[in-house]
C-alpha cells in the first residue's frame, strides 16, 4: 500500500469556506443523515471542499469541516489521511492516478508508467513545474477488465500502452478533453475487435 | 446470564460480557494489547484470539460477545499458532531495541512475546521507521515502537475528553500523533504512558533514569490535591524517580493527574535539609540545639495570645495535631488550617466534606458546580463527572467563569446572584434539582475563601435542604477542597479557639504588630509580607515563600518521607508511607514538634507515632479506620445573609504550580511554559 506523498511542501492557506452554492450542497448532504449523525457527512463534504479548492485539501478546509460538523479536528484529519482520494498537498491541473496493482501490471502498467515519466519528467508524488500534471501510484481502480488504467481527475482512460499514454498526455497538455474510456475503442468492457459471440443469424 | 464453557470450566457471565471477560472469570489468562477494561473495545491487535467450537476460524475474544452454550478453548494448538502468528506480525515492524528502551522490564510486548511468541522471526525485509512526534514536556515518543493498539487515542478521547490524539494514514503508513503535534492538553495526559503496552509513549522526565527492577516501590497516597489518589512511589536511595497510580476504584480508578505523577522531581530541589536561624537579617545554617534555643528565647514568657500557627496545604494530620497541642500548651488560641481563608469547618461534619463520595458521582443525575474548576482543582473528580456524563444524561450546570471541563456544562451565571436565584427557586435550574432523583451541588474552595464565604456555604446548604439533596441514603452536598491537608485539619479542629484569630485575623494582627510570633507548618500561600515584624518559625520541606520570610527554619519531611495521615475531600482517611528518610538533618514533622515542645515547657504527651495516632483517634473517631469514609452528620453550618455581588473567581491560575513541591519542579515549570503560555498566546481557553 503506497501512502500519500507527505514530503511535498504544503503551502499555508489562511482560511477556507464553502462558496454559497457549495454551502447549499453541503447542507443538503448533511440533511441526508439522521439527527445527531451529521458527522457521517464528513466524506462527501471533504470531497466537496477538495473540488472547490483546486483538487486538494488545505488544513484550513479540514478545520472548517470539523467546525461545520461539530467534530474534533483530529477525527476529520484521520479520515482525510486514511483515503488516498483526498489530496493534502497541491496537485496538478491533471492529477494522474496510475493503477499499478497486479492485473494492470500484468497488462503493461510499467510501459504506461515509463511513458508518463518520459513525457512529463516526473515520477510518483511529483508535480510538473508548470503545475499542469501530477502523478500518483494507486492500488486497484476496479477497472481490471480494461487494464491498464490511468485515472485523470474524475475520468478513467483504459487499455493504455506506451504510445497511447503519450498521445493522451499530449492531448491533455493542449487542454483538449480526450474522450474517456477505452482508448482502443472498446465499448465498455466488450471484447476487443467487436462482438465475438451471438454474431450469426442476426441478418433478418 | 449466558453460561459458557472455557477450557472445560463452566462459567456464567452477565449479559453483554465478552468472551475475554468470560475467560477471565474462568481464571484463564488471555494475552492482549489493545483491550483495556476501562476503554472502549477496538479489537485491532488480535492477540486475544481463542478457538470457539463451530466457528470456522479463531475469534477475537475481546470483541466477541459471550453467548449461551459457547465452548471456548484457549489451550489448543490452533490458539497457540494464532498467538505465535500475531506476535510475529507485531514484531515484524517493532524494533528490537529493548536494551535502550525505557519500557524494558515492564513491557507487555516483551512479556507476552516471552510467554506466547514464536521462538524466531522470519521477517528479513527492512523494518519500517516512523518519525517521533512531539507531545509536550511529559510524554516522550519513539513511534517506531508503536504497535497501533490505539489505547492512547481511546484514553484521550474517552476519559481525558480531549480529541487531540488520533491515527493518521493507514496500513503500513499508519501513525499515532496529536493534532499538528501539539502537546496533549489534558491534566490526565500522563496516563497514556501507563496504557502504552510498548515503549512508544514513555515518561519524558524519567527517560533513561532507571530500570524498574532497581526501584524501591512504596505504596502511598498523593497530596498534590485533596482527592487522595492512591500512588506507588518508585525511589532509588533518597531520590524519588517516579510516581505511578495504584488502583482504587472509589478514588482514582487507575489514573492519576499529571501533577501527581510529575511533580516528584520537585522533591529534590529547593529542599530544606538543615535548620536555619536568622542572624543579623540573614539566614544562617544552625544545629537543632541552636534552633531550639532561638525559639525558646523568643517564645518563653510570651503571651500565648500573641502567638499564632497556620498549617499549610501539605501538612499531615499528626503534625497538625502536634502543633495544635503545642499551641494549646503555650496558651494560644490562634490556630488555623485554612491558609486560603475558606470559611469552612467548625460546623457539622457534612459541611466540609465531599459527602456524595467520588464514586457516588456516577449515581448522580444533576450537578450544580459553584465557583469551582474541578478540572484543575481535582482532575480525577472531573474525570468522574465526565464518565457519568458519557454514560448517563446527567445535567451539569455551573456558576462561575466559563470553562471547558471536557463535558457540557450549562453556565448559568457568574456569581452569588445566580446562586441566590437558585436558592429562591427563581432560576430554571432549581426545577432540575428538584426533579432530579440524586442531585448534587459541588462548592469549590475558592467560592468559600471570599469574605462572604460563610454565606455562600449557607446558600449552598439551603439549596441542599430545600431541593432534596440530602435524604436518608443520599447526600448531594459537596465541598471540593484542593489541599490535601484541609479536611484532616478540620477533622481535628485545627481552627481558631475561643477568641482566637483565623488566618486573615493573624495577618491583620501581625501587620499591626499585635502578633509577635507565628508558626507556619508548611504554609506558603500567604502574604508573608505582613509578617515583617513578626517572629516567623517556618517548619516545612521546601525553601518557598514561607521559608524566605522565616526567622527560624525547621526542616521537615515531604510526603514521601513520612508515614502521615491525610483525609481526602470525601473524608477518606489514608496514610502515606515513607519510601526513604528525610533529607539531611530534616526530621518528621511531629517529631520536631515533640522535640521543641520540651524546651518550650509544654511537653507533648506522646513519644511514638502510635501514641500520637491514638490521641488523634480519641479526638475524632472518624479517623480511626484507614481507607474508610465515615459519613458526615448533617447539621448546622454556614451562615445566612446576603452574599456580595462580585462574581466567583477561581483559586488556581496555574494548575501545574500550586504547592511548594510543584513550584520546585522543573517538569511542572516546563508544563507551565508549554500549556499555559500557549493558552495566553492563542487566546483559547480550556
Amino acid at each position: 500500500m503506497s501512502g500519500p506523498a507527505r514530503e511535498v511542501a504544503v503551502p499555508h492557506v489562511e482560511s477556507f469556506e464553502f462558496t454559497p452554492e457549495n454551502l447549499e450542497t453541503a447542507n443538503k448532504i448533511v440533511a441526508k443523515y439522521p439527527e445527531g449523525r451529521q458527522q457521517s457527512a464528513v466524506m462527501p463534504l471533504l470531497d466537496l471542499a477538495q473540488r472547490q479548492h483546486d483538487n486538494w485539501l488545505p488544513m484550513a478546509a479540514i478545520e472548517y469541516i470539523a467546525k461545520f460538523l461539530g467534530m474534533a479536528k483530529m477525527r476529520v484529519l484521520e479520515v482525510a489521511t486514511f483515503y488516498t482520494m483526498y489530496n493534502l498537498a497541491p496537485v496538478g491541473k491533471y492529477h494522474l492516478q496510475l493503477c499499478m496493482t497486479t492485473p494492470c501490471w500484468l497488462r503493461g502498467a510499467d510501459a504506461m508508467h515509463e511513458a508518463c515519466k518520459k513525457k512529463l519528467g516526473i515520477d510518483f508524488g511529483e508535480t510538473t513545474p508548470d503545475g499542469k500534471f501530477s502523478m500518483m501510484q494507486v492500488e486497484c481502480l476496479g477497472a481490471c477488465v480494461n487494464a491498464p488504467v490511468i485515472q485523470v481527475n474524475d475520468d478513467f482512460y483504459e487499455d493504455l500502452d506506451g504510445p497511447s499514454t503519450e498521445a493522451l498526455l499530449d492531448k491533455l497538455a493542449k487542454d483538449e478533453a480526450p474522450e474517456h474510456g477505452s482508448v482502443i475503442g472498446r465499448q465498455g468492457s466488450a471484447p476487443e475487435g467487436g462482438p465475438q459471440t451471438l454474431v450469426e443469424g442476426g441478418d433478418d | 446470564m449466558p453460561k459458557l464453557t472455557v477450557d472445560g470450566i463452566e462459567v456464567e457471565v452477565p449479559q453483554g460480557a465478552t468472551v475475554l471477560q468470560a475467560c477471565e472469570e474462568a481464571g484463564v489468562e488471555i494475552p492482549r494489547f489493545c483491550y483495556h477494561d476501562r476503554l472502549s473495545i477496538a479489537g485491532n491487535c488480535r492477540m486475544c484470539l481463542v478457538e470457539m467450537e463451530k466457528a470456522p476460524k479463531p475469534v477475537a475474544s475481546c470483541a466477541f460477545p459471550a453467548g449461551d452454550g459457547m465452548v471456548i478453548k484457549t489451550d489448543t494448538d490452533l490458539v497457540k499458532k494464532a498467538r505465535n502468528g500475531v506476535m510475529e506480525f507485531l514484531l515484524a515492524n517493532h524494533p528490537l531495541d529493548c536494551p535502550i528502551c525505557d519500557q524494558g522490564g515492564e513491557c507487555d510486548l516483551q512479556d507476552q512475546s516471552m510467554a506466547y511468541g514464536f521462538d524466531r522471526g522470519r521477517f528479513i525485509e527492512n523494518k519500517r521507521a516512523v518519525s517521533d512526534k512531539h507531545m509536550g514536556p511529559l510524554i516522550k515518543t519513539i513511534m517506531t515502537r508503536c504497535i497501533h493498539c490505539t489505547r492512547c487515542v481511546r484514553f484521550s478521547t474517552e476519559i481525558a475528553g480531549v480529541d487531540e490524539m488520533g491515527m493518521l494514514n493507514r496500513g503500513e503508513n499508519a501513525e499515532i500523533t496529536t493534532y499538528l503535534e501539539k502537546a496533549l492538553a489534558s491534566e490526565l495526559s500522563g496516563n497514556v504512558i501507563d496504557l502504552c503496552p510498548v515503549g512508544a509513549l514513555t515518561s519524558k522526565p524519567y527517560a533513561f533514569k532507571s530500570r524498574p527492577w532497581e526501584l524501591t516501590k512504596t505504596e502511598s497516597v498523593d497530596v498534590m490535591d485533596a482527592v487522595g489518589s492512591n500512588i506507588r512511589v518508585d525511589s532509588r536511595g533518597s531520590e524519588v524517580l517516579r510516581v505511578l497510580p495504584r488502583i482504587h476504584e472509589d478514588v482514582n480508578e487507575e489514573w492519576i493527574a499529571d501533577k501527581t505523577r510529575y511533580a516528584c522531581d520537585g522533591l529534590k530541589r529547593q529542599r530544606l535539609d538543615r535548620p536555619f536561624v536568622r542572624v543579623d537579617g540573614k539566614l544562617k545554617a544552625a544545629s537543632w540545639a541552636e534552633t531550639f534555643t532561638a525559639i525558646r528565647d523568643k517564645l518563653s514568657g510570651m503571651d500565648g495570645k500573641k502567638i499564632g500557627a497556620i498549617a499549610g496545604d501539605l501538612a499531615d494530620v499528626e503534625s497538625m495535631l502536634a502543633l495544635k497541642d503545642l499551641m494549646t500548651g503555650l496558651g494560644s488560641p490562634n490556630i488555623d488550617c485554612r491558609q486560603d481563608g475558606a470559611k469552612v469547618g467548625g460546623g457539622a461534619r457534612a459541611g466540609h466534606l465531599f459527602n456524595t463520595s467520588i464514586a457516588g458521582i456516577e449515581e448522580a443525575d444533576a450537578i450544580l458546580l459553584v465557583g469551582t474548576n474541578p478540572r484543575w482543582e481535582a482532575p480525577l473528580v472531573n474525570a468522574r463527572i465526565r464518565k457519568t456524563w458519557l454514560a448517563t444524561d446527567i445535567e451539569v450546570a455551573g456558576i462561575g467563569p466559563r470553562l471547558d471541563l471536557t463535558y457540557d456544562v450549562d453556565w448559568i451565571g457568574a456569581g452569588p446572584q445566580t446562586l441566590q436565584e437558585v436558592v429562591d427557586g427563581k432560576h430554571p435550574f432549581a426545577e432540575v434539582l428538584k426533579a432530579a432523583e440524586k442531585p448534587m451541588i459541588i462548592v469549590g474552595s475558592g467560592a468559600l475563601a471570599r469574605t462572604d464565604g460563610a454565606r455562600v456555604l449557607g446558600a449552598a446548604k439551603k439549596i441542599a435542604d430545600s431541593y432534596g439533596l440530602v435524604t436518608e441514603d443520599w447526600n448531594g452536598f459537596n465541598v471540593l477542597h484542593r489541599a490535601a491537608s484541609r479536611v484532616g485539619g478540620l477533622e481535628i479542629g485545627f481552627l481558631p479557639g475561643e477568641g482566637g484569630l483565623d488566618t486573615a485575623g493573624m495577618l491583620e494582627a501581625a501587620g499591626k504588630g499585635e502578633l509577635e510570633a507565628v508558626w507556619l507548618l508548611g504554609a506558603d500561600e500567604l502574604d508573608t509580607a505582613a509578617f515583617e515584624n513578626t517572629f516567623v518559625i517556618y517548619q516545612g520541606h521546601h525553601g518557598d515563600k514561607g521559608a524566605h520570610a522565616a526567622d527560624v527554619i525547621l526542616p521537615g519531611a515531604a510526603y514521601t518521607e513520612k508515614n502521615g495521615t491525610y483525609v481526602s475531600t470525601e473524608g477518606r482517611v489514608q496514610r502515606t508511607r515513607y519510601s526513604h528518610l528525610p533529607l539531611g538533618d530534616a526530621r518528621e514533622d511531629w517529631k520536631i514538634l515533640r522535640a521543641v515542645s520540651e524546651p518550650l515547657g509544654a511537653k507533648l504527651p506522646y513519644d511514638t507515632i502510635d501514641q500520637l495516632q491514638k490521641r488523634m483517634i480519641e479526638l475524632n473517631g472518624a479517623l480511626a479506620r484507614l481507607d474508610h469514609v465515615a459519613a458526615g452528620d448533617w447539621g448546622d453550618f454556614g451562615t445566612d445573609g446576603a452574599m456580595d455581588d462580585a462574581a466567583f473567581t477561581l483559586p488556581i491560575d496555574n494548575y501545574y504550580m500550586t504547592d511548594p513541591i510543584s513550584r520546585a519542579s522543573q517538569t511542572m515549570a516546563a508544563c507551565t511554559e508549554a500549556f499555559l503560555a500557549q493558552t495566553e498566546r492563542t487566546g483559547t481557553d480550556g
Side-chain angles (χ1 to χ4, degrees), chain B residues 114-134:
Chain B
M114 283 301 289
Y116 306 104
F118 198 46
D119 59 355
R120 75 205 93 109
R122 294 173 293 184
F123 186 77
I124 51 162
E125 288 78 9
N126 287 330
K127 285 173 184 275
R128 76 175 199 145
V130 183
S131 59
D132 293 341
K133 306 290 181 285
H134 172 74

Side-chain angles (χ1 to χ4, degrees), chain B residues 52-332:
Chain B
M52 188 173 88
E53 233 169 53
K54 295 192 191 117
K57 53 185 181 176
V59 296
S61 61
C62 73
F64 206 84
D68 209 28
M70 276 180 178
V71 179
I72 305 292
K73 290 174 190 158
T74 71
D75 51 2
T76 59
D77 283 346
L78 179 78
V79 174
K80 187 167 182 296
K81 213 174 146 196
R83 287 172 179 170
N84 273 342
V86 170
M87 272 315 303
E88 202 179 349
F89 271 122
L90 286 174
L91 292 175
N93 272 318
H94 188 84
L96 298 179
D97 61 351
C98 303
I100 55 151
C101 175
D102 263 321
Q103 193 85 353
E106 50 186 3
C107 174
D108 286 357
L109 194 66
Q110 235 179 5
D111 295 347
Q112 292 185 30
S113 72
M114 283 301 289
Y116 306 104
F118 198 46
D119 59 355
R120 75 205 93 109
R122 294 173 293 184
F123 186 77
I124 51 162
E125 288 78 9
N126 287 330
K127 285 173 184 275
R128 76 175 199 145
V130 183
S131 59
D132 293 341
K133 306 290 181 285
H134 172 74
M135 288 195 196
L138 301 177
I139 304 167
K140 182 186 166 191
T141 65
I142 298 186
M143 298 316 283
T144 304
R145 294 179 187 148
C146 177
I147 58 167
H148 308 102
C149 67
T150 70
R151 275 186 185 181
C152 52
V153 176
R154 284 175 283 146
F155 174 84
S156 53
T157 311
E158 292 160 19
I159 301 206
V162 289
D163 272 325
E164 281 173 18
M165 283 190 103
M167 182 155 70
L168 300 187
N169 307 325
R170 60 165 156 172
E172 175 140 54
N173 300 83
E175 294 182 8
I176 299 285
T177 183
T178 51
Y179 190 74
L180 303 181
E181 290 196 35
K182 271 194 267 185
L184 192 57
S186 166
E187 296 71 34
L188 299 171
S189 68
N191 293 299
V192 299
I193 293 163
D194 293 339
L195 285 170
C196 185
V198 297
L201 306 179
T202 54
S203 169
K204 209 174 230 177
Y206 175 70
F208 306 131
K209 285 273 175 66
S210 172
R211 284 297 188 191
W213 56 83
E214 301 173 329
L215 300 170
T216 308
K217 292 148 187 110
T218 314
E219 299 197 339
S220 188
V221 174
D222 173 50
V223 299
M224 294 295 146
D225 55 34
V227 172
S229 299
N230 283 215
I231 54 169
R232 193 184 89 192
V233 177
D234 283 8
S235 57
R236 189 174 54 193
S238 63
E239 191 181 1
V240 175
L241 287 173
R242 61 175 182 180
V243 171
L244 296 177
R246 274 191 297 139
I247 295 178
H248 193 309
E249 294 297 343
D250 292 336
V251 183
N252 53 318
E253 299 182 274
E254 62 177 282
W255 322 119
I256 49 172
D258 285 352
K259 192 165 44 181
T260 304
R261 187 185 297 267
Y262 289 112
C264 61
D265 67 328
L267 287 168
K268 55 182 182 193
R269 310 182 67 81
Q270 300 275 342
R271 285 300 297 270
L272 301 172
D273 56 358
R274 64 176 78 168
F276 287 89
V277 177
R278 196 175 288 274
V279 183
D280 302 329
K282 274 201 161 158
L283 282 170
K284 263 185 64 185
S287 70
W288 278 107
E290 288 164 350
T291 317
F292 286 177
T293 312
I295 295 175
R296 189 193 59 203
D297 289 351
K298 192 76 192 178
L299 294 192
S300 55
M302 192 185 279
D303 179 5
K305 292 208 166 57
K306 292 189 170 174
I307 309 173
I310 300 171
D313 289 350
L314 303 178
D316 54 310
V317 180
E318 286 85 352
S319 53
M320 281 190 282
L321 180 55
L323 182 57
K324 181 187 174 190
D325 288 345
L326 178 65
M327 285 299 137
T328 312
L330 296 173
S332 163

Side-chain angles (χ1 to χ4, degrees), chain A residues 12 22 25-26 34 76 85 94 96 116 155 160 174 179-180 199:
Chain A
H12 180 71
N22 279 348
T25 317
V76 181
M85 297 79 172
Y94 298 106
L96 311 178
C116 289
D155 297 325
L160 292 162
K174 282 184 255 165
E179 182 100 2
H180 58 83
V199 288

Side-chain angles (χ1 to χ4, degrees), chain B residues 448-594:
Chain B
L448 303 175
R450 301 152 48 106
T451 45
D452 61 346
R455 284 167 296 189
V456 173
L457 190 68
K461 181 177 190 294
K462 259 186 234 162
I463 290 176
D465 279 333
S466 43
Y467 299 133
L469 269 67
V470 183
T471 61
E472 227 156 69
D473 54 355
W474 177 257
N475 190 336
F477 179 85
N478 301 286
V479 176
L480 183 62
H481 293 279
R482 61 182 200 281
S485 70
R486 194 73 80 248
V487 176
L490 297 173
E491 298 280 62
I492 57 157
F494 201 94
L495 294 165
E498 199 67 35
L501 300 168
D502 62 3
T503 302
M506 280 185 255
L507 286 169
E508 202 192 325
K512 283 193 261 175
E514 287 163 13
L515 193 74
E516 288 184 11
V518 67
W519 197 299
L520 301 179
L521 182 62
D524 291 290
E525 282 78 27
L526 288 169
D527 178 20
T528 46
F531 295 134
E532 214 186 321
N533 300 316
T534 313
F535 183 72
V536 178
I537 302 160
Y538 181 81
Q539 180 179 355
H541 42 77
H542 272 78
D544 207 73
K545 215 170 153 193
H548 289 301
D551 293 294
V552 171
I553 292 176
L554 304 170
Y559 71 109
T560 50
E561 295 151 15
K562 62 186 169 193
N563 294 332
T565 306
Y566 288 88
V567 188
S568 79
T569 188
E570 50 174 354
R572 187 178 299 275
V573 185
Q574 301 187 109
R575 205 159 282 163
T576 60
R577 300 257 173 256
Y578 85 95
S579 63
H580 54 88
L581 292 171
L583 302 186
D585 286 342
R587 292 288 180 272
E588 284 180 49
D589 293 277
W590 80 269
K591 284 185 183 165
I592 299 171
L593 288 156
R594 165 66 184 78

